[in-house]
Amino acid sequence: MHKVTLITGDGIGPEIAEATRRCIDATGVKIAWDPQEAGVEVMERAGTPMPERTLESVRRNKVALKAPITTPVGTGFRSVNVYLRQSLHLYACVRPCKSYVGVRSRYENVDLVIVRENTEDLYAGVEFARGEPAAAELIGHINRLSTDRKVRTGEKTTGVSIKPISIEGTERIVTYAFEYARANGRRKVTSVHKANIMKHTDGLWLEVSREVAKRYTDIEFEDRIVDNMCMQLVQKPELYDVMVLPNLYGDILSDLCAGLVGGLGVAPGANIGDDGAVFEATHGSAPKYKGQNKVNPVALILSGMLMLRHLGERDAADRLEQAVADVIAEGKSVTYDMKPNRDDPTAVGTSQMADAIIARLKG
Ligand code: NAD
């Protein structure tokens, strides 16, 4: 019996969480679900969008399936999702992007995995607002320290975001990418960077990537400059396999790759750390569709499939993925976004699409 925290989220979260829970249970894997709240609705009652008991549950169970959560605007809370990743030290974000027959896309046979560093880089949140005394002080300090390059724009008119990239953070994520490649029978890891311009951050990233790669002689290694990588991905995605990227490039290329395989409705994800893992769809809480039994549950169901793999339930994960692929390929019991015409009256609801996947699993 596996213990799993189920964060039902808000907006469309509860509907797709329920659909996913039913599909996972239908694989026959025994899971003791521990349902927990987070998001804007619980914030109104508890005063925080991420109650301590929810975090505690994830710390205890070490595995969570999480539906999307709305980031409250103008309340002083940073994104709950970023908070969760930081407080549980979930340093790796893994996003497989795979073509399924029946999903409309310009591309076929794409099978890529993005491994994104989750804690460093321009996302570390070390920022200085223009006009604040601290920003002016920092700019003055930088200009005194820096012998050749200076910040030449005004002390009061310039904002600064800091980009820290460390040896230890890079070593951890690149090692994770190689271990992932090995465990999942992948052939190649591509390290993505802009080392030609940012020598002390991306340059360090590239140097450490090369060092780590030497320990994995069974897996091919190469590097690409991020702008070239973008062009290559839209021209010949079949050349690539696992890609490992610092936080910001990983964020951007995740969406690019989701676009290659048909968009957010089918893009699953996992956030992994040494002490826990949180599985979630790439998309958000789509509040306008809340409570309508309308949206596509596939991205969260595929995130559940990744969770089964993480729990060592490979056979159940394969069966669930095949059932999802069959239902999409048939194109009958699918939600509005998967029909050629979005107003197609034959589109089914969230719960009915889950029923069709369950019928495949059992049939
Ligand atoms: P969103 O992904 O929620 O929705 C954008 C649009 O994509 C929707 O209007 C809908 O047309 C479509 N869409 C999304 N999911 C779909 C699905 N399952 N089936 C069919 N169509 C789907 O993005 P947004 O509108 O930018 O964000 C809404 C809220 O979600 C924000 O508060 C944002 O901060 C939050 N968010 C949360 C997460 C998370 O919990 N991990 C991730 C992204 C955004």
Side-chain angles (χ1 to χ4, degrees):
M1 178 79 88
H2 305 282
K3 287 189 183 158
V4 173
T5 302
L6 181 65
I7 301 176
T8 46
D10 56 36
I12 57 169
E15 301 158 52
I16 58 174
E18 176 59 14
T20 302
R21 188 190 59 74
R22 291 200 292 121
C23 289
I24 291 177
D25 285 345
T27 64
V29 172
K30 295 273 175 283
I31 294 190
W33 298 100
D34 180 6
Q36 294 288 340
E37 294 177 305
V40 284
E41 281 144 32
V42 65
M43 187 174 85
E44 282 155 23
R45 277 179 280 121
T48 166
M50 177 53 72
E52 190 52 33
R53 65 173 180 279
T54 302
L55 270 180
E56 265 314 304
S57 165
V58 187
R59 284 201 187 99
R60 199 171 50 241
N61 295 324
K62 299 198 184 305
V63 181
L65 183 70
K66 179 186 151 296
I69 293 173
T70 306
T71 300
V73 179
T75 57
F77 283 103
R78 284 189 67 200
S79 160
V80 170
N81 302 303
V82 174
Y83 178 68
L84 193 62
R85 283 171 211 157
Q86 287 180 349
S87 34
L88 296 169
H89 310 294
L90 305 173
Y91 64 84
C93 179
V94 183
R95 295 219 169 120
C97 296
K98 187 169 164 181
S99 303
Y100 291 98
V101 174
V103 179
R104 269 166 297 115
S105 162
R106 290 173 182 271
Y107 298 85
E108 288 171 2
N109 300 321
V110 175
D111 186 5
L112 299 163
V113 180
I114 299 255
V115 177
R116 167 187 172 191
E117 205 288 327
N118 238 354
T119 65
E120 300 196 333
D121 193 4
L122 286 159
Y123 271 67
V126 186
E127 298 203 279
F128 297 85
R130 63 142 169 82
E132 296 275 321
E137 193 181 326
L138 179 71
I139 291 167
H141 200 57
I142 289 169
N143 286 345
R144 280 190 298 280
L145 283 179
S146 177
T147 45
D148 49 356
R149 304 296 167 105
K150 309 266 181 199
V151 179
R152 301 208 182 274
T153 45
E155 282 188 351
K156 293 200 173 123
T157 54
T158 307
V160 181
S161 298
I162 303 289
K163 171 175 165 128
I165 291 193
S166 71
I167 296 178
E168 54 276 25
T170 307
E171 187 165 357
R172 187 173 61 174
I173 193 73
V174 178
T175 303
Y176 181 85
F178 274 100
E179 289 293 330
Y180 180 96
R182 200 179 254 175
N184 291 280
R186 318 283 309 204
R187 69 193 154 84
K188 180 166 81 173
V189 171
T190 306
S191 175
V192 183
H193 59 86
K194 187 84 182 169
N196 51 332
I197 303 295
M198 281 163 283
K199 296 189 172 43
H200 303 302
T201 47
D202 289 30
L204 176 153
W205 168 278
L206 177 57
E207 200 185 308
V208 174
S209 295
R210 286 182 172 145
E211 281 306 310
V212 173
K214 287 183 192 156
R215 302 205 303 263
Y216 294 88
T217 47
D218 51 326
I219 311 275
E220 210 183 308
F221 172 75
E222 65 186 6
D223 72 276
R224 288 282 179 277
I225 294 177
V226 62
D227 38 357
N228 180 28
M229 186 81 234
C230 291
M231 189 185 70
Q232 298 257 319
L233 280 171
V234 295
Q235 286 192 329
K236 26 193 170 177
E238 67 282 359
L239 293 186
Y240 296 94
D241 191 346
V242 175
M243 289 170 279
V244 62
L245 307 93
N247 212 335
L248 178 65
Y249 310 146
D251 184 25
I252 297 167
L253 265 68
S254 291
D255 273 31
L256 190 156
C257 291
L260 296 179
V261 298
L264 287 175
V266 289
N271 292 291
I272 313 267
D274 289 332
D275 298 323
V278 176
F279 296 83
E280 63 179 340
T282 301
H283 66 71
S285 58
K288 69 178 175 192
Y289 292 125
K290 177 186 169 180
Q292 294 179 25
N293 187 37
K294 185 173 164 88
V295 296
N296 190 345
V298 162
L300 194 62
I301 294 173
L302 290 176
S303 306
M305 178 273 290
L306 299 177
M307 183 186 84
L308 289 172
R309 291 231 158 97
H310 177 84
L311 292 170
E313 301 285 358
R314 287 191 168 254
D315 171 60
D318 291 347
R319 284 187 287 115
L320 179 57
E321 185 178 17
Q322 192 58 52
V324 170
D326 289 348
V327 168
I328 296 174
E330 194 189 40
K332 209 167 88 195
S333 301
V334 295
T335 47
Y336 75 100
D337 56 304
M338 293 199 138
K339 294 283 187 183
N341 173 358
R342 287 191 158 223
D343 299 322
D344 190 327
T346 66
V348 303
T350 309
S351 161
Q352 289 67 37
M353 187 162 181
D355 291 342
I357 293 166
I358 292 166
R360 285 274 173 177
L361 270 169
K362 298 206 159 153

